[in-house]
């Protein structure tokens, strides 16, 4: 009998019936001294066993409604308190976790807004300065006129890049950017990115090369447009943060069912203190060079989002003044 309450009921009923039968036996055999003890004892035992058996059989058929909440007794009080305690503890720790999560989100929101307004302020104030200079008489001078308008245009382009990158990031975070996967040749995609970055690389005399000649196509299954963006961001970084006359080298390797893509440069490198933070939004190891090159500080954050959306990973290895390697995986 699993339910202790059922056992108690059975015992109570059996005892009551047994005592009653004992009393009846005593009344019936009063006067008969020979059996005055034997009959009541036998009667009590028999009736107890019989009633126990019948009640037990009966209760077994009754739906067991009392198995979940044990009836509190001194013996199980400890257990019940423990259970209640554990419920309270797990409820409290859930609440604490939720509060921590909300605090984290609030902190993130504050930092994010602070960063965004800081990033937008610089080009906006620059544009304001150029326009004021022009209005203050610069307009009359043809040379100043052109110079300041060109500078204003540069700042406007910077504003556009920031806003576009921010939009990409927030769409990624909102899960709006769905991947459109297809099989394609990653070697060919890198060649296409090389073509778009040729002029930029030439300006710094940086060579864009493959580690070796990849004769056969290397097919991966991923979102081609987004991987194009990943490669563009990594290769432009290798140019911005590369040394003059340097080299950006792409290599591929196969590990199990993955293709590893490595973008390697022999540029300025990243210090140990910065390396773990370069994928954070707006984090810049080299602030002045990043801004001077028109960097938004969002390029690597976008790269990480895209790679992780594919269920893959990206790592960086770097040594200051030696160069950097960004390695990411893609499914075959
Ligand atoms: N190949 C690289 N070599 C050295 N530093 C790099 C490289 N790529 C990225 N970094 C560092 O990481 C920072 C973040 O990169 P990224 O997110 O692309 O932003 P940014 O717009 O500044 O280029 C850069 O500001 C730079 O300091
Ligand atoms: Mg960048």
């Amino acid at each position: 009998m699993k339910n202790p309450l059922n056992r108690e009921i059975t015992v109570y009923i059996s005892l009551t019936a047994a005592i009653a039968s004992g009393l009846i036996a005593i009344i019936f055999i009063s006067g008969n001294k020979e059996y005055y003890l034997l009959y009541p004892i036998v009667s009590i035992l028999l009736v107890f066993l019989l009633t126990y058996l019948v009640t037990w059989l009966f209760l077994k058929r009754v739906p067991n409604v009392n198995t979940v909440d044990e009836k509190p007794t001194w013996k199980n009080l400890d257990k019940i308190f423990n259970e209640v305690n554990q419920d309270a503890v797990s409820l409290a720790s859930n609440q604490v976790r939720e509060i921590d999560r909300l605090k984290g989100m609030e902190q993130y929101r504050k930092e994010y807004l602070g960063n965004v307004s800081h990033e937008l302020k610089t080009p906006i104030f620059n544009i304001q300065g150029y326009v004021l200079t022009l209005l203050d008489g610069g307009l009359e001078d043809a040379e100043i006129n052109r110079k300041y308008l060109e500078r204003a245009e540069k700042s406007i382009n910077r504003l556009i890049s920031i806003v576009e990158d921010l939009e990409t990031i927030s769409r990624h975070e909102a899960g709006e950017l769905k991947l459109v996967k297809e099989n394609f040749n990653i070697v060919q995609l890198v060649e296409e990115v090389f073509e778009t970055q040729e002029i930029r690389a030439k300006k710094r005399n940086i060579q864009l090369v493959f580690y070796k000649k990849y004769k056969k196509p290397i097919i991966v299954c991923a979102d081609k447009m987004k991987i194009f963006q990943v490669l563009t961001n990594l290769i432009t970084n290798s140019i911005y943060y590369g040394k003059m006359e340097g080299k950006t080298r792409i290599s591929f390797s196969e590990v199990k069912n993955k293709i590893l893509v490595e973008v390697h440069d022999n540029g300025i490198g990243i210090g140990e203190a910065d390396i773990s933070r370069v994928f954070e939004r707006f984090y810049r190891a080299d602030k002045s060079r990043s801004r001077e090159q028109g960097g938004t500080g969002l390029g690597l954050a976008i790269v990480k989002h895209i790679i992780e959306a594919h269920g893959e990973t990206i790592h960086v290895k770097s040594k200051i003044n030696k160069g950097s390697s960004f390695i990411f995986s893609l499914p075959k």
Side-chain angles (χ1 to χ4, degrees):
M1 216 176 289
K2 277 183 194 148
N3 190 344
L5 188 64
N6 281 359
R7 195 182 304 123
E8 263 178 65
I9 292 171
T10 316
V11 171
Y12 285 143
I13 292 176
S14 315
L15 268 178
T16 319
I19 291 166
S21 78
L23 286 175
I24 292 166
I26 289 170
I27 294 164
F28 267 107
I29 57 160
S30 54
N32 187 345
K33 283 199 176 142
E34 207 178 329
Y35 297 113
Y36 84 103
L37 255 181
L38 185 67
Y39 278 170
I41 289 173
V42 171
S43 156
I44 286 173
L45 280 176
L46 275 178
V47 172
F48 181 84
L49 286 174
L50 211 70
T51 323
Y52 192 96
L53 193 73
V54 171
T55 321
W56 177 67
L57 284 173
F58 173 74
L59 285 177
K60 230 172 82 164
R61 299 179 59 140
V62 175
N64 215 347
V65 290
N66 215 23
T67 46
V68 179
D69 296 318
E70 264 180 46
K71 188 173 169 258
T73 64
W74 286 113
K75 277 187 201 153
N76 68 9
L77 217 52
D78 231 27
K79 199 174 141 210
I80 290 172
F81 272 133
N82 258 343
E83 276 167 15
V84 172
N85 240 351
Q86 267 168 13
D87 282 353
V89 168
S90 78
L91 190 73
S93 64
N94 281 348
Q95 301 277 19
V96 169
R97 230 174 286 139
E98 182 61 9
I99 291 168
D100 282 350
R101 195 181 66 82
L102 292 174
K103 270 189 194 163
M105 274 172 65
E106 177 59 12
Q107 180 68 14
Y108 166 76
R109 196 186 62 80
K110 275 186 194 155
E111 275 174 21
Y112 192 65
L113 279 180
N115 281 330
V116 171
S117 52
H118 177 78
E119 290 302 321
L120 295 178
K121 250 193 268 171
T122 320
I124 289 173
F125 285 157
N126 286 346
I127 296 166
Q128 189 186 36
Y130 302 137
V131 172
L132 284 177
T133 315
L134 289 172
L135 290 176
D136 267 1
L139 264 179
E140 325 303 330
D141 185 326
E143 205 179 309
I144 292 183
N145 197 332
R146 183 160 191 92
K147 196 161 95 187
Y148 278 71
L149 279 176
E150 274 169 2
R151 285 186 186 173
E153 201 227 352
K154 218 174 163 186
S155 293
I156 290 169
N157 284 338
R158 187 168 163 69
L159 271 182
I160 292 172
S161 313
I162 296 172
V163 172
E164 276 175 357
D165 279 359
L166 279 174
E167 205 188 336
T168 311
I169 287 244
S170 45
R171 288 183 69 192
H172 265 293
E173 287 183 352
E176 277 175 25
L177 290 186
K178 295 277 171 280
L179 299 180
V180 185
K181 287 192 186 175
E182 59 181 305
N183 287 328
F184 63 88
N185 180 4
I186 185 87
V187 183
Q188 197 187 331
L189 194 71
V190 171
E191 276 164 2
E192 285 170 30
V193 179
F194 276 176
E195 272 168 34
T196 63
Q197 299 304 318
E198 222 170 48
I199 298 173
R200 196 174 267 148
K202 269 216 176 97
K203 272 190 196 159
R204 312 206 70 224
N205 255 337
I206 286 177
Q207 281 176 272
L208 305 178
V209 296
F210 284 107
Y211 173 68
K212 63 174 192 183
K213 197 157 176 57
Y214 295 97
K215 287 179 202 139
K216 283 189 196 151
I218 299 177
I219 307 296
V220 293
C221 178
D223 186 316
K224 194 172 173 184
M225 288 306 292
K226 298 211 169 65
I227 300 304
F228 186 89
Q229 175 153 31
V230 166
L231 289 165
T232 305
N233 289 7
L234 293 178
I235 291 171
T236 47
N237 275 352
S238 77
I239 300 170
Y240 289 156
Y241 309 106
K243 283 184 191 139
M244 294 294 254
E245 328 281 320
K247 199 183 259 181
T248 293
R249 194 191 67 202
I250 311 289
S251 59
F252 306 102
S253 51
E254 203 177 319
V255 178
K256 287 183 186 163
N257 52 346
K258 310 242 178 248
I259 297 293
L260 297 186
V261 184
E262 178 175 358
V263 180
H264 174 87
D265 66 61
N266 54 356
I268 60 169
I270 306 164
E272 255 175 62
D274 299 306
I275 205 154
S276 60
R277 303 197 59 191
V278 287
F279 291 104
E280 288 174 23
R281 295 167 206 83
F282 302 112
Y283 191 83
R284 293 163 167 116
D286 189 327
K287 290 172 189 60
S288 56
R289 192 188 290 217
S290 166
R291 293 223 164 79
E292 179 195 312
Q293 299 287 347
T296 61
L298 293 168
L300 287 180
I302 292 174
V303 163
K304 195 163 189 258
H305 264 298
I306 295 176
I307 297 298
E308 287 181 354
H310 281 81
E312 300 294 329
T313 50
I314 177 156
H315 299 285
V316 52
K317 289 190 290 189
S318 189
K319 269 223 161 75
I320 216 105
N321 281 328
K322 285 266 186 297
S324 313
S325 262
F326 286 83
I327 305 157
F328 62 93
S329 57
L330 284 177
K332 277 209 307 182

